[in-house]
Amino acid sequence: MNDQQQPRDIEGILDRAHLTSNRTAADRLAADMAALLTQYERETVARRALAGDPNPSDADPLDYVRTIADNYTRHRDLPDAESMYLELAAELTLDDARVIRLAAEAVAKATPRLIYLAAEEDGKTAAAIADELGVTESYVYRVLREQRAAESQPDGTKPWDAFWTIERWEDGRWHEFAAQSSRRMDTPATLAEYLLNREQEYAAEGARLRVRVWQFGTSETHPPLAEATTAQ
């Protein structure tokens, strides 16, 4: 019985040895391939750096900032938040902190326009913008109202509907004696100065005049966009 089992045992040992040998060869091949790929990547990065590529490794410049932001989001309301700040202080230099602080200020100033473009050009909803940006929907709606109002302000680059009044100072107060509306291409300030100069040519000597300019339909609810007054 033992004599009959012996060949099978030898075959099993040989099979296991063969498999082990194959795995070892495969492992060696994988290691060699990984080393070649690593060497190729390093050489490619070096060539691109020598050629003047500012980001030869295609690294995301915001990776470290994202790490800080993610850690802050996870830990800011937890008891270990203070230890996170201490670790961050140990990692950063003063110059690192300066750069990140200035970048944060710039991003804060750019955020309203970013929200406007996301809504107007990308078609995102206020809810989607708020979720991606980590702010409330009410904040997004407020920013969109402000941005849309600013976008509609005449700047001399597109036609707009102007309404203006011309007033004369008499008896201690301003009296309106002319009002008109017109489609314009100039800025409100330019229009106000033009109208004042034109009226002064026909006004009595020493008369004090004032021109005020609005976007049509807003004179009852908004202050004038521009105003020009004769010198006293």
Side-chain angles (χ1 to χ4, degrees):
M1 191 72 173
N2 290 337
D3 292 340
Q4 292 177 350
Q5 290 178 339
Q6 186 67 23
R8 287 197 295 272
D9 291 339
I10 292 174
E11 289 174 2
I13 292 171
L14 291 175
D15 287 342
R16 287 193 296 274
H18 178 68
L19 290 173
T20 301
S21 175
N22 284 345
R23 275 199 302 271
T24 302
D27 291 342
R28 285 199 300 270
L29 178 60
D32 290 343
M33 290 295 294
L36 288 173
L37 286 173
T38 300
Q39 181 180 354
Y40 172 76
E41 290 173 355
R42 288 175 177 170
E43 291 175 352
T44 301
V45 168
R47 282 197 302 271
R48 290 173 58 178
L50 288 173
D53 190 333
N55 187 17
S57 62
D58 293 326
D60 186 343
L62 293 180
D63 273 348
Y64 184 59
V65 176
R66 286 195 178 95
T67 299
I68 294 175
D70 290 343
N71 287 338
Y72 177 67
T73 301
R74 286 195 301 269
H75 295 277
R76 60 183 170 184
D77 297 325
L78 298 178
D80 66 344
E82 187 63 29
S83 63
M84 182 199 70
Y85 303 144
L86 294 175
E87 291 177 6
L88 183 59
E91 292 177 3
L92 294 174
T93 66
L94 290 175
D95 188 61
D96 292 336
R98 177 189 66 83
V99 170
I100 294 173
R101 285 181 60 254
L102 290 176
E105 291 178 13
V107 170
K109 293 182 183 298
T111 296
R113 186 64 179 176
L114 180 64
I115 291 173
Y116 175 80
L117 293 176
E120 296 296 320
E121 296 188 3
D122 299 337
K124 293 185 177 181
T125 64
I129 295 171
D131 182 61
E132 288 187 41
L133 202 54
V135 297
T136 63
E137 281 189 55
S138 61
Y139 170 77
V140 173
Y141 280 120
R142 176 171 64 81
V143 168
L144 287 175
R145 284 195 301 270
E146 294 171 353
Q147 287 291 305
R148 284 165 178 159
E151 190 70 14
S152 67
Q153 294 297 313
D155 58 4
T157 63
K158 54 185 179 295
W160 63 288
D161 294 317
F163 171 77
W164 65 85
T165 61
I166 303 175
E167 304 165 349
R168 183 184 297 111
W169 181 261
E170 293 178 347
D171 302 325
R173 66 185 184 90
W174 291 107
H175 295 267
E176 180 183 312
F177 68 89
Q180 189 176 339
S181 62
S182 175
R183 193 157 182 80
R184 309 291 301 187
M185 273 295 295
D186 45 3
T187 66
T190 301
L191 175 60
E193 290 294 336
Y194 163 75
L195 293 171
L196 180 64
N197 292 333
R198 187 188 68 180
E199 291 300 321
Q200 283 181 316
E201 293 181 4
Y202 304 100
E205 185 176 352
R208 188 179 174 197
L209 303 177
R210 181 174 74 173
V211 176
R212 296 197 293 172
V213 178
W214 290 265
Q215 192 159 8
F216 185 81
T218 66
S219 62
E220 298 294 329
T221 57
H222 291 72
L225 297 175
E227 183 175 313
T229 308
T230 54
Q232 293 185 355

